[in-house]
């Protein structure tokens, strides 16, 4: 609080004091930088982080303003996060704390000193101090469109005289492609994100939207310039420093434990089970019960996000057709048909829906994880098995055993 009070007085002095006093305080010694932290190992840190560093050489104060803070201990935090109603905070901390924390975790930190005039630097500082007041510091966090990186970018743009022009050539990548690039070492995290985010992130985006990623914004800042009202231009940054070198050892993901390998084995297993059932003319119901139960559990997550969450892109997810709570009821129906010896008439509906969705995957506007095709093929194989035995009137394996025992008696 003492550091913030000193910085506030410094920012206000730039407007209120005389020119002679300004010279004495050397207010032009305030420098503001963009800090870009490399991705970490925790799930919430997979995409890196952005913060603003304010250094007052006169008052010997060095503070970092961080828009990425949240209270994870709140009782309803997890539920609100799932609903997409998470509120983040702007907080301030000593610069040395941030360096020590990221250094301990092994993350790298890059600094880009902004090329601001004295008035712009003090205006930005004043905006940050106004924003950190208790009544202003909370904001609704939207991962793709309003996160810590975009908040920092927008605050700088508000402070400059003129406009910031990002000079880099437009990159036609979609958000999903950018996420895949960030998560190439974490294929299961990538698969999970692909499973809950829909067609919205497969649309072509401009580079302003793409700046939700800290590394992308940092690269844009290197080539950006500030265009004044009189048409003059000046570089957006004036210096780039490496504060901490990354020490995290990043390993390539093993293909043997990747989703692609796991679901390939699952598909092979489903085919072998079908062949065994066909040869012995009896069906293993519990294989299907287990598979559809897992499908329904995954569908609880996908369906809940699709219908109730405010997170972007979850409501455009075509996977909700297959992954919803209905397979849980279908698993119960399989058990009922097994115990009662009834024909599974719903197997034809299941086959039609699964086969239709597999065809749709090739033409719909959503891009799917390669492992998802294998998973849907597995469901299709089991749907074919169920429909085959329903058409030929065969009974489940345990009923066949029971009838055989009765005949022997």
């Amino acid at each position: 609080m003492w550091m913030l009070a000193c910085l506030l007085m410094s920012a206000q002095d730039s407007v209120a004091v005389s020119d002679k006093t300004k010279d004495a305080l050397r207010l032009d010694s305030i420098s503001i930088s963009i800090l870009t932290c490399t991705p970490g190992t925790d799930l919430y840190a997979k995409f890196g982080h952005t913060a603003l560093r304010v250094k007052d050489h006169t008052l010997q104060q060095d503070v970092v303003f961080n828009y990425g803070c949240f209270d994870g201990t709140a009782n309803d935090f997890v539920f609100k996060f799932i609903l997409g109603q998470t509120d983040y905070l702007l907080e301030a901390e000593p610069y040395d704390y941030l360096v020590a924390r990221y250094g301990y975790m092994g993350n790298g930190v890059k600094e880009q000193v902004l090329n601001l005039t004295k008035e712009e630097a003090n205006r930005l500082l004043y905006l940050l101090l106004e924003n950190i007041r208790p009544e202003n510091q909370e904001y609704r966090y939207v991962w793709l469109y309003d996160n810590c990186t975009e908040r920092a970018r927008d605050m700088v743009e508000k402070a400059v005289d003129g406009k910031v022009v990002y000079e880099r050539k437009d990159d036609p990548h979609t958000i999903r492609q950018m996420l895949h690039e960030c998560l190439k070492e974490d294929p299961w995290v990538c698969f999970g994100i692909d499973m809950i985010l829909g067609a919205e992130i497969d649309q072509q985006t401009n580079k302003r939207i793409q700046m939700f990623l800290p590394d992308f914004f940092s690269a844009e800042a290197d080539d950006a310039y500030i265009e004044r009202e009189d048409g003059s231009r000046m570089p957006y940054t004036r210096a780039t420093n490496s504060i901490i070198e990354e020490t995290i050892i990043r390993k390539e993901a093993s293909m043997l434990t990747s989703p692609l390998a796991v679901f390939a084995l699952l598909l092979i297993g489903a085919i072998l089970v079908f062949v065994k059932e066909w040869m012995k003319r009896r069906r293993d119901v519990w294989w299907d019960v287990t598979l559809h139960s897992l499908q329904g559990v995954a569908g609880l997550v996908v369906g809940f996000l699709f219908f109730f969450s405010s997170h972007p892109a979850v409501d455009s997810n075509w996977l909700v057709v297959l992954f919803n709570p209905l397979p849980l009821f279908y698993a119960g129906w399989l058990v009922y048909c097994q115990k009662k010896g009834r024909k599974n008439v719903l197997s034809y509906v299941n086959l039609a829906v699964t086969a239709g969705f597999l065809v749709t995957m090739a033409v719909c506007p959503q891009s799917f994880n390669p492992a998802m095709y294998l998973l849907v093929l597995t469901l299709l194989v089991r749907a074919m098995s169920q429909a085959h035995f329903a058409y030929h009137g065969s009974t489940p394996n345990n009923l066949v055993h029971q009838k055989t025992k009765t005949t022997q008696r």
Side-chain angles (χ1 to χ4, degrees):
M1 293 303 296
W2 167 249
M3 288 189 295
L4 293 178
C6 292
L7 289 172
L8 179 58
M9 288 188 294
S10 176
Q12 291 174 333
D13 285 343
S14 68
V15 179
V17 300
S18 64
D19 291 339
K20 184 176 180 180
T21 306
K22 288 180 183 179
D23 293 337
L25 290 175
R26 296 199 345 260
L27 292 176
D28 57 344
S29 66
I30 292 179
S31 62
I32 301 182
S33 309
I34 298 170
L35 298 181
T36 303
C37 308
T38 60
T41 55
D42 294 326
L43 182 59
Y44 69 88
K46 289 293 184 183
F47 305 101
H49 181 56
T50 301
L52 293 175
R53 176 189 183 187
V54 178
K55 186 175 183 179
D56 191 316
H57 302 274
T58 304
L59 299 174
Q60 297 300 312
Q61 302 295 337
D62 204 347
V63 180
V64 173
F65 289 84
N66 182 359
Y67 279 97
C69 299
F70 57 88
D71 183 9
T73 63
N75 293 332
D76 57 351
F77 176 80
V78 175
F79 184 66
K80 282 190 173 181
F81 182 82
I82 295 174
L83 287 176
Q85 299 175 2
T86 310
D87 291 328
Y88 272 44
L89 303 170
L90 170 63
E91 296 284 3
E93 66 175 330
Y95 167 74
D96 291 340
Y97 286 16
L98 179 138
V99 172
R101 183 172 69 255
Y102 279 97
Y104 174 78
M105 294 187 296
N107 299 85
V109 178
K110 170 186 174 183
E111 178 186 37
Q112 293 165 291
V113 183
L114 295 171
N115 191 22
L116 303 178
T117 64
K118 176 178 60 178
E119 290 76 14
E120 289 171 335
N122 283 274
R123 187 182 301 125
L124 177 53
L125 171 58
Y126 189 78
L127 288 172
L128 291 170
L129 293 170
E130 280 292 313
N131 207 184
I132 206 172
R133 293 178 181 273
E135 64 271 22
N136 300 329
Q137 69 178 149
E138 191 173 77
Y139 72 99
R140 179 56 50 86
Y141 180 83
V142 183
W143 176 46
L144 294 178
Y145 306 124
D146 192 4
N147 61 19
C148 59
T149 300
E150 291 158 309
R151 284 267 164 167
R153 175 200 65 192
D154 295 347
M155 291 301 289
V156 176
E157 291 178 352
K158 290 179 181 179
V160 300
D161 292 321
K163 64 178 180 179
V164 179
V165 179
Y166 300 99
E167 187 71 357
R168 293 181 74 201
K169 187 178 180 180
D170 285 337
D171 193 333
H173 287 172
T174 65
I175 290 177
R176 194 184 301 275
Q177 291 170 335
M178 297 174 70
L179 295 178
H180 282 191
E181 181 64 26
C182 293
L183 297 171
K184 56 186 177 182
E185 298 170 356
D186 301 280
W188 280 103
V189 176
C190 186
F191 178 80
I193 287 180
D194 282 341
M195 191 167 186
I196 63 175
L197 298 183
E200 182 178 331
I201 66 169
D202 292 306
Q203 301 174 6
Q204 293 296 324
T205 60
N206 57 43
K207 55 188 174 184
R208 189 164 188 85
I209 294 177
Q210 294 171 349
M211 277 189 267
F212 80 97
L213 287 177
D215 283 343
F216 192 92
F217 173 54
S218 177
E220 287 288 343
D222 280 333
D223 297 331
Y225 62 85
I226 300 173
E227 184 176 310
R228 306 296 185 192
E229 294 182 357
D230 60 3
S232 61
R233 297 179 178 182
M234 60 184 300
Y236 184 64
T237 62
R238 57 182 174 85
T240 300
N241 306 311
S242 177
I243 305 300
I244 306 175
E245 293 292 338
E246 184 179 71
T247 58
I248 296 176
I249 300 177
R250 303 188 183 276
K251 299 180 180 179
E252 292 188 7
S254 173
M255 278 297 297
L256 297 178
T257 57
S258 68
L260 203 61
V262 170
F263 290 122
L265 290 176
L266 184 65
L267 175 59
I268 294 172
I271 295 173
L272 292 177
V273 170
F274 187 19
V275 172
K276 178 182 176 182
E277 291 172 333
W278 181 76
M279 293 178 63
K280 294 188 175 182
R281 296 184 180 181
R282 64 173 182 263
R283 185 164 57 89
D284 188 353
V285 175
W286 293 107
W287 171 274
D288 292 328
V289 171
T290 302
L291 190 62
H292 288 300
S293 296
L294 294 175
Q295 180 188 2
V297 170
L300 289 174
V301 178
V302 175
F304 182 86
L305 292 173
F306 185 91
F307 291 105
F308 301 107
S309 179
S310 300
H311 280 296
V314 296
D315 60 350
S316 58
N317 190 0
W318 286 58
L319 283 175
V320 76
V321 175
L322 277 189
F323 293 92
N324 55 68
L326 291 179
L328 290 174
F329 297 99
Y330 184 61
W333 170 257
L334 292 175
V335 175
Y336 173 79
C337 290
Q338 177 200 25
K339 291 185 176 181
K340 298 296 183 179
R342 295 188 56 175
K343 183 178 180 180
N344 180 14
V345 294
L346 292 181
S347 62
Y348 305 126
V349 177
N350 181 43
L351 177 60
V353 171
T354 308
F357 185 77
L358 184 62
V359 174
T360 303
M361 291 175 74
V363 296
C364 78
Q366 180 171 333
S367 176
F368 299 96
N369 192 286
M372 183 56 67
Y373 287 94
L374 299 178
L375 181 55
V376 175
L377 279 172
T378 301
L379 294 173
L380 180 62
V381 170
R382 295 314 305 163
M384 292 170 59
S385 171
Q386 296 161 25
H388 169 78
F389 285 103
Y391 178 77
H392 290 285
S394 299
T395 55
N397 54 359
N398 67 328
L399 292 181
V400 170
H401 293 320
Q402 292 176 7
K403 290 182 178 180
T404 302
K405 292 179 180 178
T406 302
T407 303
Q408 291 174 349
R409 289 176 184 175

